[in-house]
């Protein structure tokens, strides 16, 4: 079968390149054609320089004005030119490309395509693609060029070349969807879709190709969930756990009352764990709704029943934070339960001690990261697994827990607000509880949506908050064109902010290219208030809980989905101090202002998620970052909500017709890390 052919059999892919592809999870030709572009360079008509708006990638044509300048240090040379048309003049810079002085020094008319940013000196186009002479741009006008996720040593061109060759060699004539389903929902053929997703001739081809592939991805996912639900319903409860008097006594000592919603959800969990079948329950709750204490109560009931419970977090920082807060709670209120921490960065000796205590049953609650499911960990009687942040926990992890004894109860905690109509489809194997009430002592976050002219005022406000002892986050969006530039963007911004706020304020940055240990170190220092302002990409979305952080400034807010902005906002408002969120937008469009105004007026995540669904259109695929929820290969549950509902309907039709396709359907192999 051609799809199983090793990519090393493609022309130009030797042993070294094969290893680079391997870093991206690409081993076969099939892996390669399913490694879809993460975006597209859209080559639109050039705009007048006066209309080059901050935060956008635009094309301009103009005459090179004045001489080419090269400045900066040996390691970071900056090449600068000025380009002029009848509407204005634009400053243009390139990093580490001093050789451009020879090319551009001839002058004349040039076409440039790049991102517009706002620097101290004003509007600047950074590191643009050059079309010189300008006539060369005509060749790319109105085309879409795929942009793939890269790894060091592998260029976008290399991936494009390999994909082109694979598509030439591959027999794509075989259709993978039943004809009646494809025709009923007006979906493109597989052959058209797979070519169109990699190399679309225009936006129309892209939309049709993507629609077909997303539909099929959702359909396979839903069918896998249904199979799992069928097997879950038959799983006997190996660990009946009932409400413990020790848990009730602990509750009575807390300095606050549970909300009605927390009580209701806690009762639903208790009923499940005492029932005849193993629990599989999702608890949805907005940021700050008090999901963690509900999980702790379930873990306590498990411990008092003589069994073990595990709490699995997506990062070491978060795992350590959970561990510390749980042990402090138990010490303060006299709960005689032993808690263990297990993370990957612990020394071999520390791990050995932890393994021994876990296997002997000496500890009842184990908090950790993916280290909780490593082969060397043996549990005495693991009855409950609580996972933090549902979309960070995957299929294999759940199976690994099950292999370590009887089938444990599963409790999934999600702060991602999803409208119930979608949640029922997405979490088809789980019963759903919702904590839809915030504790009375939470101060609502104060929001404002502003344009870039407010930046100086925002910095002054942040400086005042730091002087009052508080801390701040600044979120910069990723730069799609180059992951290298994404890093520079955050580094440059952090340096600029340090200059702006002064030496008495410690500014640091965080981005996806850092090693995990480096990220953890910075987040821990931020937690101890050794860093007052943290400039970050969205890696902070699931991160440390810092009650002292009171300001969140989101740059280029128009480039994020509303649900993701709400998740980011949840990093503040976690303590006793009033918190603020500043959404800064470079866009002047009416639609963008309408979207962001929803965040300005509401802190209700479920309402925001519903509005996000209502307002999104197909054009957003090119302008707004996808939510990342469940991390499908192509699908986005907000963007593609209607397709998700159609796929669910199609799954019903196929079930009713006992279709042959269903019997042959492969197990879902997407990158989604939903528990299936």
């Amino acid at each position: 079968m051609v799809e199983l052919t090793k990519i090393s059999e493609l022309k130009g892919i030797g042993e070294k390149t094969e290893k680079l592809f391997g870093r991206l999870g690409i081993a076969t030709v099939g892996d390669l054609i399913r490694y879809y572009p993460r975006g597209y360079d859209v080559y639109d008509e050039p705009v007048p320089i006066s209309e080059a708006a901050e935060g956008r990638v635009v094309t301009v044509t103009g005459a090179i004005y004045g001489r080419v300048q090269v400045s900066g240090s040996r390691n970071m040379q900056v090449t600068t030119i000025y380009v002029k048309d009848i509407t204005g003049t634009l400053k243009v810079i390139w990093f580490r490309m001093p050789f451009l002085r020879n090319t551009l020094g001839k002058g004349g008319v040039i076409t440039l395509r790049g991102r517009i940013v706002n620097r101290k000196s004003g509007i600047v186009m950074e590191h643009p693609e050059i079309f010189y002479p300008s006539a060369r741009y005509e060749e790319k006008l109105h085309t879409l060029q795929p942009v793939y996720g890269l790894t060091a040593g592998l260029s976008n061109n290399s991936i494009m070349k390999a994909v082109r060759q694979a598509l030439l060699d591959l027999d794509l004539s075989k259709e993978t969807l039943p004809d009646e389903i494809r025709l009923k929902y007006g979906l493109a053929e597989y052959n058209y879709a797979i070519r169109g997703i990699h190399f679309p001739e225009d936006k129309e081809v892209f939309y049709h190709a993507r629609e077909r592939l997303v539909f099929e991805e959702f359909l396979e996912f839903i069918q896998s969930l249904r199979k799992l639900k069928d097997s879950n319903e038959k799983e006997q409860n190996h660990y009946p756990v009932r409400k413990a008097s020790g848990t009730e006594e602990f509750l009575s000592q807390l300095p606050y009352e549970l909300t009605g919603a927390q009580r209701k959800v806690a009762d639903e969990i208790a009923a499940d764990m005492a029932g005849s079948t193993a629990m599989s329950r999702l608890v949805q709750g907005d940021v700050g709704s008090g999901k963690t204490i509900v999980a702790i109560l379930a873990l306590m009931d498990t411990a008092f029943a003589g069994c073990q419970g595990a709490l699995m977090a997506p990062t070491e920082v978060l795992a350590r934070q959970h561990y510390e807060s749980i042990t402090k709670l138990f010490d303060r209120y006299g709960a005689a339960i032993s808690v263990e921490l297990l993370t990957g960065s612990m020394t071999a000796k520390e791990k050995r001690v932890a393994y021994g205590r876990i296997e002997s049953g000496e500890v009842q609650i184990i908090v950790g990261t993916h280290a909780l499911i490593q082969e060397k960990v043996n549990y005495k009687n693991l009855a409950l697994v609580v996972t933090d942040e549902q979309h960070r926990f995957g299929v294999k992890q759940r199976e690994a827990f099950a292999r370590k004894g009887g089938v444990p109860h599963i409790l999934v905690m999600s702060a991602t607000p999803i409208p119930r109509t979608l949640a029922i489809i997405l979490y088809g194997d789980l019963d759903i509880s919702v904590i839809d009430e915030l504790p009375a002592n939470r101060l609502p976050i104060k929001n404002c949506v502003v344009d870039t002219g407010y930046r100086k005022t925002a910095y002054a406000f942040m400086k005042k908050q730091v002087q009052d002892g508080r801390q701040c986050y600044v979120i910069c969006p990723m730069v799609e064109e180059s992951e290298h530039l994404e890093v520079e963007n955050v580094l440059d911004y952090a340096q600029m902010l340090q200059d702006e706020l002064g030496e008495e304020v410690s500014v640091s940055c965080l981005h996806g290219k850092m090693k995990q240990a480096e990220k953890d170190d910075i987040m821990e220092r931020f937690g101890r208030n050794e860093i007052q302002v943290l400039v970050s990409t969205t890696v902070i979305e699931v991160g440390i809980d810092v009650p002292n952080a009171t300001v969140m400034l989101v740059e280029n807010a128009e480039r994020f989905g509303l649900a993701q902005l709400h998740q980011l906002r949840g990093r503040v408002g976690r303590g006793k101090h009033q918190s603020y969120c500043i959404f800064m937008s470079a866009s002047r469009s009416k639609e963008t202002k309408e979207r962001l105004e929803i965040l300005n007026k509401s802190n209700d995540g479920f309402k925001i998620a519903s509005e996000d669904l209502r307002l999104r259109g197909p054009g957003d695929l090119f302008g707004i970052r996808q939510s990342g929820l469940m991390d499908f290969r192509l699908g986005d549950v907000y963007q593609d909500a209607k397709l998700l509902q159609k796929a669910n309907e199609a799954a019903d039709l196929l079930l009713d017709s006992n279709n042959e396709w269903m019997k042959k359907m492969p197990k879902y192999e997407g990158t989604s890390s939903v528990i299936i």
Side-chain angles (χ1 to χ4, degrees):
M1 191 175 174
V2 181
E3 280 210 18
L4 298 177
T5 303
K6 288 187 175 181
I7 58 161
S8 56
E9 295 190 30
L10 294 175
K11 286 176 192 170
I13 298 183
E15 189 179 336
K16 184 180 175 185
T17 311
E18 184 182 15
K19 284 179 181 174
L20 293 175
F21 273 102
R23 283 193 213 159
L24 299 173
I26 301 170
T28 67
V29 170
D31 295 335
L32 180 64
I33 64 166
R34 283 186 291 275
Y35 190 70
Y36 303 125
R38 63 182 177 88
Y40 299 84
D41 277 339
V42 186
Y43 289 79
D44 288 325
E45 294 280 355
V47 301
I49 285 174
S50 61
E51 293 179 21
E54 180 190 352
R56 295 185 61 193
V57 173
V58 298
T59 302
V60 299
T61 296
I64 297 173
Y65 178 69
R67 64 187 183 84
V68 182
Q69 301 166 29
V70 177
S71 59
S73 65
R74 185 178 171 187
N75 293 328
M76 188 55 175
Q77 289 178 307
V78 179
T79 304
T80 305
I81 64 168
Y82 290 86
V83 174
K84 190 172 187 176
D85 69 7
I86 58 171
T87 69
T89 303
L90 180 65
K91 182 179 179 181
V92 185
I93 63 172
W94 290 267
F95 304 105
R96 302 190 184 98
M97 295 178 75
F99 54 85
L100 287 177
R101 177 166 40 195
N102 302 326
T103 309
L104 302 175
K106 299 166 188 174
V109 176
I110 190 170
T111 296
L112 302 166
R113 182 180 179 279
R115 185 171 298 282
I116 303 295
V117 298
N118 196 349
R119 295 289 181 192
K120 282 184 180 178
S121 57
I123 293 289
V124 179
M125 179 181 274
E126 278 193 352
H127 218 78
E129 195 174 353
I130 301 168
F131 298 89
Y132 190 53
S134 284
R136 285 180 48 221
Y137 189 70
E138 295 292 324
E139 298 167 17
K140 285 199 172 182
L141 188 59
H142 302 309
T143 63
L144 278 71
Q145 300 293 317
V147 178
Y148 296 93
L150 304 176
T151 187
L154 196 63
S155 70
N156 200 64
N157 251 3
S158 300
I159 298 178
M160 281 173 65
K161 191 176 172 185
V163 172
R164 279 189 198 280
Q165 192 188 333
L167 292 177
L168 278 174
D169 295 347
L170 210 55
D171 176 15
L172 297 172
S173 57
K174 191 176 178 185
E175 181 52 64
T176 53
L177 274 181
D179 286 345
E180 62 266 36
I181 293 297
R182 194 176 61 75
L183 294 171
K184 176 179 172 60
Y185 294 102
L187 300 168
E189 293 180 349
Y190 180 71
N191 180 30
Y192 176 95
I194 201 70
R195 295 183 196 281
I197 199 69
H198 286 287
F199 303 109
E201 292 168 22
D202 54 35
K203 290 184 182 181
E204 203 62 33
V205 171
F206 163 76
Y207 289 136
H208 286 306
R210 185 181 180 280
E211 179 185 46
R212 154 62 201 251
L213 295 171
V214 169
F215 181 94
E216 187 167 1
E217 182 174 33
F218 283 161
L219 183 58
E220 289 180 4
F221 169 78
I222 290 162
Q223 295 295 354
S224 293
L225 278 184
R226 291 186 180 189
K227 284 181 182 177
L228 185 66
K229 187 172 178 66
D230 289 344
S231 64
N232 279 350
E233 284 172 351
K234 297 166 194 160
E235 286 290 358
Q236 185 187 344
N237 184 355
H238 297 275
Y239 302 105
V241 171
R242 289 172 179 79
K243 275 191 174 182
S245 58
T247 306
E248 288 298 323
E249 189 180 332
F250 167 84
L251 251 181
S252 67
Q253 294 181 70
L254 293 178
Y256 55 84
E257 291 272 328
L258 292 188
T259 64
Q262 285 173 309
R263 278 275 183 194
K264 178 174 172 287
V265 171
D267 289 344
E268 287 170 349
I269 293 167
D272 279 359
M273 291 173 69
S276 57
T277 56
M279 174 177 73
S280 289
R281 184 167 288 277
L282 166 76
V283 174
Q284 271 189 295
D286 213 343
V287 174
S289 61
K291 296 181 297 300
T292 306
I293 191 65
V294 170
I296 289 171
L297 298 178
L299 288 165
M300 290 181 75
D301 281 339
T302 304
F304 285 130
C307 299
Q308 290 173 314
L311 172 59
M312 186 167 167
T315 66
E316 291 210 3
V317 172
L318 210 50
R320 201 169 296 114
Q321 201 157 43
H322 280 314
Y323 169 75
E324 288 168 1
S325 62
I326 290 170
T327 49
K328 280 177 190 171
L329 266 178
F330 288 177
D331 288 346
R332 188 178 301 161
Y333 301 111
I337 297 173
S338 182
V339 186
E340 186 70 59
L341 177 67
L342 186 61
T343 66
S345 69
M346 288 166 59
T347 65
K349 183 181 178 182
E350 288 170 335
K351 285 179 185 173
R352 274 198 307 274
V353 171
Y355 294 154
R357 283 160 54 82
I358 292 166
E359 190 167 4
S360 69
E362 188 182 336
V363 290
Q364 293 86 48
I365 295 176
I366 305 94
V367 181
T369 55
H370 283 61
L372 293 177
I373 53 173
Q374 287 175 344
E375 288 178 19
K376 292 180 182 176
V377 188
N378 293 308
Y379 297 89
K380 184 179 181 184
N381 48 9
L382 183 64
L384 172 65
V385 176
V386 180
T387 72
D388 192 335
E389 289 301 335
Q390 146 67 2
H391 52 293
R392 305 288 169 137
F393 183 79
V395 185
K396 292 175 183 171
Q397 288 88 335
R398 184 180 190 176
E399 290 171 352
F401 274 125
R403 285 197 299 272
K404 292 180 180 294
V407 177
H409 299 291
I410 299 288
L411 182 61
V412 178
M413 316 298 282
S414 176
T416 308
I418 312 166
R420 191 166 181 82
T421 50
L422 296 189
I424 289 167
I425 300 171
L426 289 167
Y427 302 109
D429 63 321
L430 303 172
D431 298 311
I432 299 173
S433 295
V434 180
I435 302 179
D436 53 5
E437 189 181 348
L438 290 177
N441 61 347
R442 285 271 174 163
L443 287 170
I445 297 168
K446 291 184 177 178
N447 308 292
C448 65
V449 178
V450 296
D451 60 31
T452 52
Y454 187 83
R455 188 175 276 118
K456 291 283 184 187
T457 310
Y459 292 163
F461 178 72
M462 288 163 62
K463 189 168 186 177
K464 176 69 169 62
Q465 286 283 302
V466 170
Q467 286 167 349
D468 291 344
R470 309 284 80 79
Q471 290 164 272
C472 312
Y473 296 101
V474 178
I475 304 299
C476 294
M478 289 184 187
V479 175
E480 285 89 347
E481 286 70 35
S482 161
E483 292 178 10
H484 180 62
L485 281 182
E486 172 207 331
V487 177
E488 281 193 340
N489 186 38
V490 174
L491 293 174
D492 288 351
Y493 191 105
Q495 185 57 58
M496 178 273 294
L497 199 55
Q498 183 71 76
D499 295 342
E500 185 75 31
L501 299 178
E503 290 181 7
E504 64 274 17
V505 178
S506 173
V507 178
S508 193
C509 65
L510 197 65
H511 55 75
K513 302 291 271 184
M514 287 177 165
K515 291 180 179 174
Q516 190 58 49
E518 201 178 350
K519 289 183 200 171
D520 289 348
D521 177 59
I522 287 170
M523 289 164 87
E524 284 177 1
R525 284 168 55 212
F526 187 65
R528 295 193 295 267
N529 200 4
E530 292 169 14
I531 296 167
Q532 284 80 52
V533 178
L534 187 60
V535 179
S536 173
T537 57
T538 53
V539 293
I540 201 70
E541 190 176 347
V542 176
I544 196 166
D545 180 6
V546 183
N548 192 49
T550 56
V551 180
M552 165 75 70
L553 167 61
V554 183
E555 287 280 359
N556 294 110
E558 74 278 3
R559 294 177 61 201
F560 299 91
L562 294 185
Q564 188 176 31
L565 286 171
H566 178 66
Q567 284 286 92
L568 289 166
R569 173 167 61 184
R571 293 295 104 210
V572 296
R574 305 176 82 87
K576 60 185 178 180
H577 307 288
Q578 178 64 57
S579 288
Y580 308 85
C581 196
I582 305 164
F583 300 106
M584 194 169 288
S585 170
S587 172
R588 297 171 190 166
S589 86
K590 184 182 173 185
E591 291 79 10
T592 298
K593 286 176 181 171
E594 183 187 356
R595 284 179 61 251
L596 295 177
E597 201 55 37
I598 292 163
L599 287 165
N600 198 13
K601 291 177 179 174
S602 177
N603 287 316
D604 181 340
F606 290 93
K607 180 180 176 183
I608 288 163
S610 296
E611 287 295 301
D612 206 4
L613 292 182
R614 183 180 68 80
L615 288 173
R616 282 190 178 207
D620 293 342
L621 289 168
F622 291 98
I624 299 170
R625 277 180 54 74
Q626 294 187 1
S627 66
L629 175 66
M630 295 196 173
D631 202 20
F632 288 101
R633 284 183 192 272
L634 274 178
D636 176 86
V637 299
Y638 293 102
Q639 186 74 59
D640 305 306
K642 288 178 182 172
L643 266 183
L644 181 64
Q645 287 163 331
K646 285 178 182 176
N648 192 54
E649 183 186 294
D652 291 336
L653 292 172
L654 289 169
L655 194 65
D656 291 344
S657 65
N658 195 24
N659 194 285
E660 282 301 309
W661 183 82
M662 286 299 307
K663 295 172 186 173
K664 298 174 188 172
M665 191 206 78
K667 184 176 178 183
Y668 177 74
E669 297 292 350
T671 55
S672 164
S673 42
V674 64
I675 297 181
I676 59 173

